[in-house]
Amino acid sequence: MPKRVLVLTLMFLVITSISIRAEEDDEIRLMINGDLITDQLDYKIVDNSILIPLEILTDNLSIKMKWFTSIDTIQLDKEGKVIKFRVGDKYLQVDNQIIKMDTKVISINEKIMVPLKDLGNALGLLIKSYPEQRIVKISEVKGKIKDIDYPKNEDYEGLELLITEEVDYDVQFFSNPARIVLDIQGATITSNLDKPKVDSDLIKGYHISQLNNNTKVIIDLYDNINYNIEQRKDGDEYKYLVKLSPIINSINYDGSRINIGATRPLNATRVNYLSNPSRVVIDIKNAALEKARELKVEDKSIKRVRLSQFQTQPYNIVRVVLDLEGEIKVEVENNGGDLAVIPLSSQLLGIDYSSEEDLLFKLSNQVEPKVFPLVNGDRLVFDFPFTVNTIKEHTLKVDNKLIEEIRISQFNKEKSRVVVDLTKLVPYKLEWKGNNLQVKLVNNLTGVHLEEKKLKQTLKLSLLKDREYKVYKLVNPNRLVIDIFDTIVDLKQIELSKVDGIIKDIRVSQYSTDPNQVRIALELEKDLDFEIKSESITDNIEIDIIEERFRSYLKGKVIVVDAGHGGRDPGAIGYSGSREKDLVLDMALRLEELLEDGGAEVIMTRKTDDYIELTDRSKIANDNNADIFVSLHLNSHVDGQYSGTETYIRPNYNQANLLLANLTQRALLRDLGTYDRGVKANDLKVLDTTNMPAVLNEIAFLSNKEEEVLLMSEEFRDKAAIALYKGINNYFRLLAEEES
């Protein structure tokens, strides 16, 4: 083996202790603390470890040695660290810790030979090899890490270490999890080292630890980033700055903006406009580029986009160049980390407001505005995207019947905003005339909503302003038609409800434009009736579509609904543990909703699980001059075979009382399909003490297993509430017919 190769191999062995073969006649120079000690180091290789004379270390370093011949033990003392070992032994005692060496301490011709690597580490020595120069350097650790700083500005951010001496270091990047590991050789941590907190999009946190004569700094990262270590002298000390930058890894064009993505958020940018040729230059500070990129975009103003790493020193800059067809401005927007470059393709040049009902926005290029009608304040807001405002005046005073004032602003980097304050809010119609946008102010249908209820469907039409309307029916086919005058509709802005049940289809159209008239046509399943609920001139038209037999006769009626039992009185208990008080309260609340929707004033004796005395229940009805009193109950019997529906009235009933009982009983039987147990008179306190027609409806038997199952069903309880509503409504219908 050539001698030079053996020497190089030996140098590597000093540092790494890998298993190799070497010869002992290679000449090696030894330096300690910068001084040349010998040109020919006396060394031995045993078990792949290098052994050198102990006296070389004790004579040239601050080490005190004692030899206890009686126990054949050598003691070394270096700055308070005590190390003991025996000749012929593999073990070191470092203070109170036992360390096993790779080979034994030996004696050759009364010269003690010690393993350099193991003893050097124990003594806290820094051992370095330089194979090309055939030199081994041994130095005492003198570097101290005095301070850690977290510099952050628009040019860079990172961690900076202040060390008393120049040191060697190794750095590694790991991707899973993302972190940087910095091994600093020959430096220790001062006891009072202050560790600043970091507020960073790049750094999660960091840890610093010491092992023998080396210090390890671990920087935990959020993601893959670019890093660079900068070393500089600071007086008699040295600063080591780990600079960190996010890596730009994507660019795309979505039709309106150029999106630049990175592994972590991007921040500071600088924009310049250049001519001959026309281009926009955007410098992204503290950013690194994964690779140079070029992007072609489908935009009439931009030929292409180029990305390059413009600068790496003294800090990273990525340059974005937009090659242009003409002259445009851009705005750079930070979208939570990524950057968006927004070409501003138009200019707002002026506003003409000479017409009573028209506005004219003058632009350099057509851009579709977003328009927001604001009811509070009676105003229209026009947002022009990708537009620069060039109008010097911020406020334009207007003297006409509709417009009070116009306010203009550059709302943000990419948007110009015009606010039109009106005497009253009216609809608008947009029309382009070249690059000028005309805004015609007219009324507008803004919403068509069909609400399906249990016994009817309600059509609700929303307008911006009050308008007259007309409602009428057609036959063959059956249709309901609503004409709204002096109104327009934008069908793109109208979302129609799904139709079902008695309504087969719904259509909205601009019936005429001179004059403006909107028509809504409902195709009906059969000949149905309607009831107009809204005023004749309104901005909210409401129409009920109903079958004739379900027309409400409840308007203005006061009805007391009593849910039996409650609180400490559970009423009947079913086989499964269901309680009468809970089930009848549910049905009573359903009935309340139906009656109120029909126009009645409903008073509940209880709406929660409370106990109400029987006399108090009738007192509520009497005190409120109720038209009728309806009490809901469930039946029970020791014989579980009993079933069906029955209705009770007081013994001294009148014809109105009997009519109410018969009609509610029949409706329950018809809709529920239960057994008819009839209408019965009985002395029940809750009925006897009321001053108006009063009934107590026993819906079904909770003691009957089959009927309990039905009562536990929401569908059955809903049917019961609807049946009672029908019976009550039919009662008031017959009274109205008798009066007429």
Side-chain angles (χ1 to χ4, degrees):
M1 178 182 291
K3 187 172 186 180
R4 179 173 177 79
V5 174
L6 288 174
V7 173
L8 295 177
T9 304
L10 176 60
M11 299 302 141
F12 194 55
L13 176 63
V14 172
I15 304 303
T16 63
S17 299
I18 63 173
S19 178
I20 63 168
R21 295 182 60 189
E23 298 182 5
E24 297 177 6
D25 58 353
D26 299 317
E27 294 180 359
I28 302 173
R29 289 183 292 167
L30 176 66
M31 297 183 71
I32 296 181
N33 288 333
D35 298 326
L36 180 64
I37 304 302
T38 177
D39 285 327
Q40 294 183 334
L41 177 63
D42 180 11
Y43 68 91
K44 298 292 181 184
I45 296 178
V46 178
D47 295 334
N48 296 326
S49 295
I50 296 175
L51 286 77
I52 67 170
L54 176 60
E55 63 186 21
I56 289 180
L57 301 178
T58 58
D59 290 348
N60 294 283
L61 296 168
S62 55
I63 300 173
K64 296 177 182 179
M65 185 183 80
K66 291 182 181 180
W67 194 338
F68 301 95
T69 55
S70 60
I71 56 175
D72 200 19
T73 298
I74 297 171
Q75 175 178 300
L76 304 180
D77 187 338
K78 185 177 186 303
E79 298 175 352
K81 180 182 285 188
V82 177
I83 300 171
K84 297 178 182 179
F85 56 88
R86 293 180 177 179
V87 177
D89 199 351
K90 278 189 174 184
Y91 295 94
L92 292 174
Q93 180 180 335
V94 182
D95 294 330
N96 293 319
Q97 183 181 4
I98 303 299
I99 298 174
K100 185 178 181 180
M101 297 182 289
D102 292 334
T103 190
K104 298 177 182 178
V105 177
I106 62 175
S107 177
I108 300 177
N109 298 326
E110 298 184 354
K111 186 183 293 185
I112 304 300
M113 305 290 287
V114 294
L116 175 59
K117 173 179 173 290
D118 293 327
L119 186 58
N121 285 338
L123 290 168
L125 302 177
L126 181 62
I127 304 169
K128 297 281 289 184
S129 67
Y130 300 89
E132 293 293 333
Q133 293 81 24
R134 304 182 186 184
I135 297 175
V136 173
K137 292 183 179 181
I138 299 175
S139 60
E140 295 174 283
V141 177
K142 295 182 179 179
K144 295 283 187 181
I145 299 177
K146 292 177 60 179
D147 187 37
I148 300 178
D149 192 17
Y150 168 60
K152 182 179 181 182
N153 54 55
E154 66 177 24
D155 294 324
Y156 67 87
E157 73 168 284
L159 282 180
E160 187 174 61
L161 307 177
L162 178 64
I163 306 178
T164 57
E165 304 286 339
E166 185 177 12
V167 295
D168 292 326
Y169 60 84
D170 292 319
V171 63
Q172 290 179 285
F173 176 82
F174 298 91
S175 59
N176 191 20
R179 63 194 187 282
I180 293 172
V181 178
L182 180 65
D183 285 315
I184 305 171
Q185 300 160 7
T188 56
I189 305 170
T190 57
S191 59
N192 60 345
L193 184 66
D194 186 25
K195 300 176 183 177
K197 293 182 179 180
V198 298
D199 179 16
S200 172
D201 291 322
L202 305 178
I203 303 172
K204 280 185 179 179
Y206 65 94
H207 316 275
I208 183 167
S209 60
Q210 183 179 317
L211 179 63
N212 294 327
N213 57 335
N214 294 331
T215 295
K216 186 185 293 289
V217 180
I218 300 175
I219 305 173
D220 294 316
L221 307 170
Y222 285 104
D223 207 333
N224 182 25
I225 62 167
N226 175 269
Y227 67 91
N228 180 46
I229 299 181
E230 179 184 288
Q231 175 185 341
R232 61 185 175 87
K233 203 168 188 310
D234 185 31
D236 295 331
E237 299 172 323
Y238 292 84
K239 286 188 174 180
Y240 294 83
L241 174 61
V242 184
K243 289 183 177 179
L244 307 172
S245 302
I247 300 173
I248 293 175
N249 54 14
S250 69
I251 180 171
N252 66 75
Y253 179 67
D254 63 9
S256 62
R257 57 182 63 197
I258 299 159
N259 301 298
I260 300 171
T263 55
R264 294 303 294 164
L266 301 168
N267 292 303
T269 58
R270 180 175 58 224
V271 180
N272 291 303
Y273 298 93
L274 304 178
S275 57
N276 297 323
S278 180
R279 59 199 186 280
V280 180
V281 176
I282 304 165
D283 286 338
I284 305 175
K285 297 182 179 181
N286 192 31
L289 187 61
E290 186 178 66
K291 64 179 180 179
R293 295 172 182 264
E294 183 174 307
L295 176 69
K296 291 185 178 180
V297 299
E298 294 183 4
D299 187 285
K300 61 183 180 181
S301 303
I302 304 171
K303 294 179 184 177
R304 60 177 178 169
V305 182
R306 294 175 282 131
L307 268 75
S308 63
Q309 189 73 52
F310 176 69
Q311 176 181 297
T312 58
Q313 292 294 334
Y315 46 81
N316 285 329
I317 292 179
V318 170
R319 174 159 287 182
V320 184
V321 179
L322 280 63
D323 294 317
L324 307 177
E325 291 285 0
E327 290 188 5
I328 64 169
K329 299 293 184 182
V330 301
E331 289 295 342
V332 180
E333 183 180 275
N334 191 319
N335 296 319
D338 293 351
L339 292 183
V341 180
I342 305 160
L344 301 178
S345 55
S346 186
Q347 293 178 312
L348 180 59
L349 304 174
I351 301 175
D352 183 357
Y353 49 88
S354 57
S355 171
E356 282 288 331
E357 292 193 351
D358 292 344
L359 281 174
L360 196 68
F361 295 113
K362 299 177 180 179
L363 298 120
S364 60
N365 292 296
Q366 287 191 13
V367 288
E368 290 297 330
K370 291 185 178 179
V371 186
F372 307 95
L374 301 181
V375 176
N376 292 331
D378 288 311
R379 64 189 58 157
L380 289 174
V381 179
F382 296 83
D383 281 344
F384 293 92
F386 317 121
T387 301
V388 178
N389 172 41
T390 65
I391 302 173
K392 293 182 180 180
E393 297 89 347
H394 296 300
T395 303
L396 303 175
K397 293 292 183 181
V398 183
D399 184 19
N400 70 32
K401 294 180 180 179
L402 285 179
I403 304 171
E404 292 181 339
E405 187 176 84
I406 301 173
R407 288 173 281 133
I408 310 108
S409 67
Q410 190 69 46
F411 182 72
N412 59 27
K413 294 179 179 180
E414 63 172 284
K415 185 189 302 177
S416 291
R417 170 166 286 183
V418 179
V419 180
V420 182
D421 291 318
L422 305 169
T423 55
K424 60 179 179 179
L425 186 62
V426 294
Y428 60 91
K429 183 178 180 181
L430 304 181
E431 183 179 347
W432 282 102
K433 295 184 176 181
N435 289 331
N436 297 331
L437 179 64
Q438 184 184 45
V439 183
K440 187 171 180 62
L441 303 173
V442 291
N443 192 35
N444 197 23
L445 174 67
T446 58
V448 177
H449 180 65
L450 198 59
E451 182 179 330
E452 185 171 2
K453 300 184 179 180
K454 292 174 181 176
L455 299 173
K456 63 186 177 184
Q457 294 201 34
T458 300
L459 177 67
K460 295 182 178 180
L461 307 174
S462 301
L463 308 172
L464 280 180
K465 297 300 290 184
D466 293 350
R467 284 295 183 268
E468 288 188 68
Y469 62 96
K470 180 181 178 182
V471 185
Y472 54 95
K473 291 197 302 181
L474 299 175
V475 294
N476 296 323
N478 293 306
R479 284 174 290 171
L480 184 68
V481 178
I482 303 97
D483 285 335
I484 308 173
F485 308 112
D486 192 20
T487 300
I488 65 168
V489 62
D490 183 353
L491 296 177
K492 294 179 181 178
Q493 296 180 356
I494 297 296
E495 184 176 348
L496 297 178
S497 303
K498 291 182 179 179
V499 296
D500 193 15
I502 60 177
I503 298 176
K504 297 167 63 177
D505 192 18
I506 181 169
R507 297 186 298 275
V508 179
S509 65
Q510 188 70 51
Y511 183 70
S512 67
T513 56
D514 188 16
N516 288 321
Q517 181 177 321
V518 172
R519 173 165 289 179
I520 299 97
L522 279 66
E523 187 175 343
L524 307 177
E525 186 182 48
K526 55 186 175 180
D527 185 16
L528 300 172
D529 202 359
F530 67 89
E531 184 176 354
I532 299 173
K533 310 292 285 186
S534 50
E535 300 294 331
S536 59
I537 300 177
T538 182
D539 59 354
N540 286 298
I541 301 170
E542 185 171 337
I543 303 166
D544 285 344
I545 299 100
I546 52 179
E547 295 186 47
E548 173 62 30
R549 60 194 177 94
F550 292 148
R551 176 184 285 275
S552 175
Y553 292 86
L554 304 178
K555 189 173 182 179
K557 304 302 181 184
V558 179
I559 300 173
V560 172
V561 176
D562 172 44
H565 306 284
R568 66 176 184 268
D569 178 12
I573 307 293
Y575 280 93
S576 68
S578 60
R579 301 179 300 185
E580 179 183 359
K581 68 172 183 175
D582 300 326
L583 297 173
V584 295
L585 177 60
D586 178 83
M587 286 184 282
L589 292 172
R590 293 171 190 265
L591 177 58
E592 176 194 24
E593 181 182 352
L594 289 166
L595 294 171
E596 286 183 342
D597 191 55
E601 178 187 347
V602 182
I603 298 170
M604 304 289 289
T605 59
R606 69 180 182 98
K607 299 187 76 167
T608 55
D609 186 18
D610 298 314
Y611 177 74
I612 309 295
E613 295 289 347
L614 295 178
T615 54
D616 290 337
R617 297 173 192 245
S618 57
K619 186 175 186 300
I620 290 171
N622 295 335
D623 289 348
N624 286 279
N625 295 317
D627 290 287
I628 62 170
F629 176 89
V630 180
S631 185
L632 277 64
H633 285 260
L634 299 178
N635 230 329
S636 181
H637 198 279
V638 292
D639 185 349
Q641 299 300 314
Y642 274 63
S643 66
T645 300
E646 60 190 14
T647 299
Y648 285 95
I649 55 177
R650 55 178 170 261
N652 59 335
Y653 61 84
N654 57 25
Q655 290 303 309
N657 207 153
L658 182 60
L659 177 64
L660 177 62
N662 283 329
L663 292 175
T664 54
Q665 174 75 4
R666 291 173 193 170
L668 287 167
L669 297 174
R670 182 173 57 250
D671 285 9
L672 301 182
T674 50
Y675 172 69
D676 183 9
R677 300 182 60 84
V679 173
K680 302 175 181 178
N682 200 344
D683 284 317
L684 300 174
K685 183 176 290 188
V686 75
L687 300 179
D688 290 342
T689 54
T690 53
N691 299 332
M692 70 291 300
V695 293
L696 189 150
N697 299 105
E698 297 275 8
I699 308 299
F701 275 79
L702 197 56
S703 55
N704 182 291
K705 288 184 179 180
E706 289 78 7
E707 290 195 349
E708 183 195 20
V709 171
L710 291 174
L711 288 163
M712 294 289 286
S713 160
E714 283 195 18
E715 182 181 358
F716 185 84
R717 297 197 300 274
D718 207 38
K719 285 182 178 180
I722 292 172
L724 286 171
Y725 170 84
K726 291 177 181 178
I728 293 168
N729 189 56
N730 205 17
Y731 167 78
F732 285 109
R733 179 185 66 81
L734 292 175
L735 291 185
E737 290 177 356
E738 183 177 329
E739 289 178 3
S740 62

